[in-house]
Amino acid sequence: MTGPAADTAAGRAIVVDRPGVHRLVSGPVPVPGPGEVRVRVAAAGICGSDREVYDGHRDAAYVRYPVTPGHEWAGTVEAVGEGVDTRLTGRATVAEGFRSCGTCARCRAAETSLCTSGYEETGFTVPGAFAEHVVVPARLLHPLADDADLRAAALLEPAAVVAAAVRSGRPEPGERIAVVGAGTLGLLAVQLLAASSPAELAVIDPRSERTLFARRFGATLTGTPEDAKELHGRYDLVLETAGAPSTAASSCRLARRGGRVVLTGMFAPGATGIDPALLTTGQLTVRGVFGAPSAAWAFAVRAFTAGLLAPAELITHEFPLERYGEAVTLVGRGAPGTGKVLLRPWPATGPAPHRAPLNRRTRP
C-alpha cells in the first residue's frame, strides 16, 4: 500500500480529551498528505511527560487537548503522500518529534530543537503514536536497518535527547564523568558515555536496583545522593538526567573547577537554584538540553545500529492500547522493578505482553 487511495480500513488510537479522561477510539486510517508518510506503529514508550499530559501537569504552552499522546515510538512506513519517495514504503523507521520548520535562523544553524516558528511536537500538539498509525513529515524520518528491533528502537527518542546532552558535554577519554539519575535517560547516558573510555563513570541515584543496573552498562562507581556529598568537586563532566528539585544544584557541586555540567531533566517550578558564586568562582560551564536536534537523532541511530546502545534491556512492561490507563498509571510511581513501559498497538507475534524484572538482563 503506497498511497492515500488505498486507505479504506479503520484504525484505533488513544485520545486524552482532558486531564484524567481518555478514550480508545476507532476511525478511518489517517491519510498522509503531501510530504508526509503514514507509519504502522510497532511500539511506543510512555515517559514522564506523557504522564504529565494525562495528569494535566504539563505547561499549557506544550500540550493541546484533545490529543493522542506518544512521542517515543518506532514502526514501519506503510504509505507515502505526494512528493515522497515511494522507496520508503516498508522501511523500519523512527522520526523526530519536534515539527521544526527547517527555514528559520535556528533551523538553518542545525539547532532544530530551538526552532523559532512556534512549538509543535508529535504526541503533544499533533497526534502521536499511542495508536495503530501515526502520520509524520517524511523529512523527519530516520530510517533504520531492515533487521532493527523496533521494540528497542521505540527508545531512540530518549536516546536522541541523551545524545544531544553527550555531544554538548564533549566527553574525552580518561575524564571523570558523573551521571545524576538512573532512569531511562540516565541509563542510556551511561551506555553512550562508557564508549568514551572514561577513567571513572559514576551514577548517583537513591534507588539501589537502578544503580546496580547502571554498573552492567559500564558505571564504575554508584551511590546515593547522600554518598555523593563526598564526591563534590571531583568530575570533569556531570550529566544531570533526573529533573528532581535539587539535582541541578547538586550536579554543579559534583563538578570540578572548570568542569562542565549538562542539564537534561525537566524541572518543575520551585526547584533549588544554582549558586551563582559556584558558577563564577568554579568557572563552570552549564548547558541545558530540551529535546534533540536532527544531528543528535542521527547520532543516536548510528549508535543503536552499531550496538553501542541496548535500549531493549530497559523495558520491563508492555501493554496493549486497551490497557493504556493501567500503563500510564504505572509510569512515574517509582515502584521497584519498573523501567520503561511500552504500548504495543498491534497483537504481538510472540508471547503476550509481559513484565520483565529490571534486574534481569534480556537481549533484544
Side-chain angles (χ1 to χ4, degrees), residues 102-115 167 293-295:
T103 59
C104 71
R106 296 278 58 81
C107 285
R108 293 176 68 85
E111 298 174 335
T112 53
S113 58
L114 298 178
C115 178
R167 286 163 58 86
S294 297

Side-chain angles (χ1 to χ4, degrees), residues 37 39 70-77 92-99 121-122 129 134-144 153-154 156-158 160 292-294 297-298 301:
V37 300
V39 178
H71 62 286
E72 303 178 3
W73 58 269
T76 304
V77 177
T93 195
V94 291
E96 298 173 33
F98 285 136
R99 303 290 182 98
E121 185 174 4
T122 301
V134 63
V135 171
V136 296
R139 61 186 172 81
L140 299 181
L141 294 183
H142 288 266
L144 305 173
L156 281 175
E157 192 277 341
S294 297
W297 272 92
V301 170

Side-chain angles (χ1 to χ4, degrees), residues 114-180:
L114 298 178
C115 178
T116 59
S117 293
Y119 171 75
E120 293 286 351
E121 185 174 4
T122 301
F124 296 105
T125 63
V126 292
F130 291 172
E132 292 179 341
H133 304 89
V134 63
V135 171
V136 296
R139 61 186 172 81
L140 299 181
L141 294 183
H142 288 266
L144 305 173
D146 291 340
D147 61 351
D149 177 358
L150 294 182
R151 175 174 167 270
L155 275 71
L156 281 175
E157 192 277 341
V161 174
V162 167
V166 170
R167 286 163 58 86
S168 178
R170 297 174 288 105
E172 296 185 5
E175 287 192 316
R176 290 173 173 168
I177 302 175
V179 176
V180 177

Side-chain angles (χ1 to χ4, degrees), residues 176 228 230-236 252-257:
R176 290 173 173 168
E230 300 180 5
L231 303 174
H232 287 177
R234 182 175 178 84
Y235 294 99
D236 301 286
C252 290
R253 288 192 290 269
L254 287 169
R256 65 162 173 84
R257 295 190 70 196

Side-chain angles (χ1 to χ4, degrees), residues 24-227:
L24 177 61
V25 303
S26 181
V29 170
V31 176
E36 296 180 330
V37 300
R38 183 178 71 233
V39 178
R40 178 183 171 106
V41 178
I46 305 177
C47 84
S49 56
D50 297 309
R51 178 69 187 265
E52 290 175 353
V53 168
Y54 189 71
D55 290 343
H57 295 159
R58 187 170 176 85
D59 189 313
Y62 297 101
V63 64
R64 188 179 303 139
Y65 298 100
V67 65
T68 293
H71 62 286
E72 303 178 3
W73 58 269
T76 304
V77 177
E78 188 176 70
V80 302
E82 180 183 351
V84 178
D85 190 340
T86 58
R87 290 175 295 181
L88 283 172
T89 306
R91 290 294 305 271
T93 195
V94 291
E96 298 173 33
F98 285 136
R99 303 290 182 98
S100 54
C101 72
T103 59
C104 71
R106 296 278 58 81
C107 285
R108 293 176 68 85
E111 298 174 335
T112 53
S113 58
L114 298 178
C115 178
T116 59
S117 293
Y119 171 75
E120 293 286 351
E121 185 174 4
T122 301
F124 296 105
T125 63
V126 292
F130 291 172
E132 292 179 341
H133 304 89
V134 63
V135 171
V136 296
R139 61 186 172 81
L140 299 181
L141 294 183
H142 288 266
L144 305 173
D146 291 340
D147 61 351
D149 177 358
L150 294 182
R151 175 174 167 270
L155 275 71
L156 281 175
E157 192 277 341
V161 174
V162 167
V166 170
R167 286 163 58 86
S168 178
R170 297 174 288 105
E172 296 185 5
E175 287 192 316
R176 290 173 173 168
I177 302 175
V179 176
V180 177
T184 298
L185 291 179
L187 292 175
L188 289 170
V190 170
Q191 294 181 38
L192 287 182
L193 290 167
S196 69
S197 301
E200 181 177 306
L201 182 52
V203 175
I204 309 301
D205 195 287
R207 301 164 294 181
S208 60
E209 77 279 1
R210 305 294 291 191
T211 54
L212 288 173
F213 208 66
R215 283 187 177 270
R216 294 218 305 274
F217 287 135
T220 60
L221 177 69
T222 58
T224 66
E226 186 64 28
D227 299 329

Side-chain angles (χ1 to χ4, degrees), residues 253-276:
R253 288 192 290 269
L254 287 169
R256 65 162 173 84
R257 295 190 70 196
R260 291 109 58 205
V261 180
V262 182
L263 307 176
T264 69
M266 295 298 290
F267 297 95
T272 304
I274 299 172
D275 183 356

